[in-house]
Amino acid sequence: MSTDLTASPRIGTESHRYAEALLTSLAAGTGAGLPMPPEAADAPEHWLRPAVQALEMILRGEDALEPLGRAAQLDGRRTALFLCLALAVAGQGEQIHASWLGIAFGELSLNRPVTHGQRALWLAAARGAYGPAGKIFVLRRLDAVAIPAHTEPERWLSALTPHEPAMVVPPSLVDFPELAELPELAEPVEAAAQLARLRGRCAEITSTRQNGSGRKPATPEGRPAEAEEELLVALRHLIGSAEPETPPGPLIDHLLADLRPGSDLHLAGIALHVAAPIVRSAAETLVTATQAEPPESVTMPILGHSVVLRPEGPDPESLAAAEERISVEGVPDRGRPWMGYALLVFGVAVLAAAFATSATLPLAGLALALFAAGGYGLWHRRRRERADAEYVTAQLSELRELAEGAVWALHEYARENDKRVQDAAADLAELTRLLRRGPRAR
């Protein structure tokens, strides 16, 4: 006997309309009080009509064995899925039979997309619609997939802690951000910071006490809450009255989405349980990164010149080379003050001519002006040379001061690193404890 609702367009339309109205009524919390149209009740056998009858009888507390048997014979999987989701929407998910979840859910695989029905059951069970047993059922199905422990740990870390700062500067290097940018110094600090954020995110997920009802109240306008709307979309797709907006997605993508900040913590708890081996392995890698010993020497740009820094102090050769470059570059080549000398010589010549001619006074005045101009030029040149020398002296002093300060900062960084390693070990221990505890049943 056909189970295709489109075999008789009129019958299929009436069945769809009635099932859609019934689902809307359940979502609004008004119960199953709608009379079944004669066209749908007298329709030839297909799974939806006896499934709807069974649902109504279950909601009224009656024995629904007869319509359940007929619906299961026609399409057992769709019947089980319909009843599981519809009872969850009605807030009576704990009335489902233990076997229905297994029939409706089917098997998960890394190689196949998660169907809309599977995802809807996953969501409902995670939010407690079927009680603790429903959540345990989903956990076991997900555990059976056995995701390898080394499956792209960067993606899982990025999902759990996506908002990473561009650069983490430890307190010891606040005055020397150039040192904080060096990979050999930055990587342990960034690893420790990410591990701390990871522990905090896992604590947020695992410490949240979760509601066992799994049902959110409807909005004041009577529209279903977001959680129920997702179940209704799957139900409408199941009965053929609507298509989901998004295609089925891979299992890994669903788990990663559930782990991201802002996601439903019911779902995040289950996803973290499934990804626990991957998260633990990634955390151990971060701990190893924090244990890297500070380098014996680093090369740091100081005032635009590279200086090698060691624990005992700046490297003498690199420091001397930097000082030489500062001395050379700090004193520009201005050439000899030929103009000043020329003005003085010309002034002497004019003064001599003044005594040899009758125009003594005018020529003497001109000579004095030339002497003044030449003297001012030589004085100004001497002043600039003195300023250059003072600038070079100040630069050399600043270079040595910064180099010495950077060495002390490296010593402080080494002391911080010991504490950073201890904190990372404590973070890993706490993270391991949180992962072992796993999601709460309620």
Side-chain angles (χ1 to χ4, degrees), residues 154-231:
E154 295 81 7
R155 291 185 67 192
W156 299 91
L157 289 179
S158 178
L160 283 162
T161 56
H163 304 297
E164 298 182 9
M167 184 178 66
V168 181
V169 180
S172 58
L173 303 183
V174 169
D175 295 331
F176 298 94
E178 300 88 351
L179 286 175
E181 294 176 357
L182 298 178
E184 57 266 40
L185 299 179
E187 290 175 1
V189 177
E190 292 174 354
Q194 186 171 23
L195 181 60
R197 293 195 304 272
L198 180 61
R199 186 205 63 184
R201 174 61 178 155
C202 291
E204 175 190 4
I205 293 172
T206 58
S207 64
T208 301
R209 186 172 296 279
Q210 299 172 358
N211 190 323
S213 67
R215 184 180 185 194
K216 296 181 181 179
T219 61
E221 293 80 8
R223 292 179 283 105
E226 181 181 357
E228 292 177 354
E229 183 61 31
E230 295 170 347
L231 304 187

Side-chain angles (χ1 to χ4, degrees), residues 364-383:
L366 178 60
L368 289 175
L370 291 173
F371 288 147
Y376 176 79
L378 294 178
W379 171 83
H380 186 66
R381 170 61 179 267
R382 178 58 181 167
R383 182 180 177 183

Side-chain angles (χ1 to χ4, degrees), residues 48-61:
L48 182 59
R49 188 176 68 85
V52 170
Q53 290 176 341
L55 173 63
E56 292 178 318
M57 296 177 70
I58 293 172
L59 293 174
R60 291 195 299 265

Side-chain angles (χ1 to χ4, degrees), residues 144-419:
V145 178
I147 301 174
H150 301 287
T151 303
E152 301 178 295
E154 295 81 7
R155 291 185 67 192
W156 299 91
L157 289 179
S158 178
L160 283 162
T161 56
H163 304 297
E164 298 182 9
M167 184 178 66
V168 181
V169 180
S172 58
L173 303 183
V174 169
D175 295 331
F176 298 94
E178 300 88 351
L179 286 175
E181 294 176 357
L182 298 178
E184 57 266 40
L185 299 179
E187 290 175 1
V189 177
E190 292 174 354
Q194 186 171 23
L195 181 60
R197 293 195 304 272
L198 180 61
R199 186 205 63 184
R201 174 61 178 155
C202 291
E204 175 190 4
I205 293 172
T206 58
S207 64
T208 301
R209 186 172 296 279
Q210 299 172 358
N211 190 323
S213 67
R215 184 180 185 194
K216 296 181 181 179
T219 61
E221 293 80 8
R223 292 179 283 105
E226 181 181 357
E228 292 177 354
E229 183 61 31
E230 295 170 347
L231 304 187
L232 289 172
V233 170
L235 278 167
R236 294 186 181 108
H237 174 57
L238 177 65
I239 66 177
S241 63
E243 289 293 329
E245 296 181 359
T246 58
L251 174 62
I252 297 295
D253 288 356
H254 284 298
L255 292 171
L256 290 171
D258 291 345
L259 288 174
R260 292 189 175 94
S263 64
D264 189 317
L265 290 178
H266 298 81
L267 298 173
I270 289 180
L272 183 61
H273 170 78
V274 177
I278 303 174
V279 175
R280 186 181 300 109
S281 176
E284 291 171 351
T285 302
L286 291 174
V287 170
T288 302
T290 64
Q291 295 171 348
E293 292 292 333
E296 295 183 357
S297 65
V298 297
T299 301
M300 173 186 174
I302 303 178
L303 301 180
H305 306 283
S306 297
V307 179
V308 178
L309 305 175
R310 295 191 174 93
E312 61 272 15
D315 176 63
E317 293 184 3
S318 63
L319 186 62
E323 290 175 342
E324 181 179 357
R325 287 192 296 273
I326 288 177
S327 300
V328 173
E329 297 171 2
V331 181
D333 185 11
R334 306 183 187 279
R336 298 189 63 82
W338 298 115
M339 179 60 69
Y341 294 147
L343 290 174
L344 292 178
V345 171
F346 189 47
V348 171
V350 171
L351 185 60
F355 290 106
T357 63
S358 58
T360 303
L361 189 59
L363 291 177
L366 178 60
L368 289 175
L370 291 173
F371 288 147
Y376 176 79
L378 294 178
W379 171 83
H380 186 66
R381 170 61 179 267
R382 178 58 181 167
R383 182 180 177 183
R384 294 174 66 183
E385 289 176 348
R386 188 182 301 113
D388 291 341
E390 292 175 353
Y391 171 77
V392 169
T393 301
Q395 287 288 96
L396 292 176
S397 177
E398 185 178 2
L399 175 71
R400 299 187 191 98
E401 182 180 350
L402 289 175
E404 292 293 337
V407 170
W408 285 108
L410 290 175
H411 284 292
E412 185 62 27
Y413 173 89
R415 285 189 288 270
E416 285 181 355
N417 194 61
D418 294 337
K419 184 177 184 302

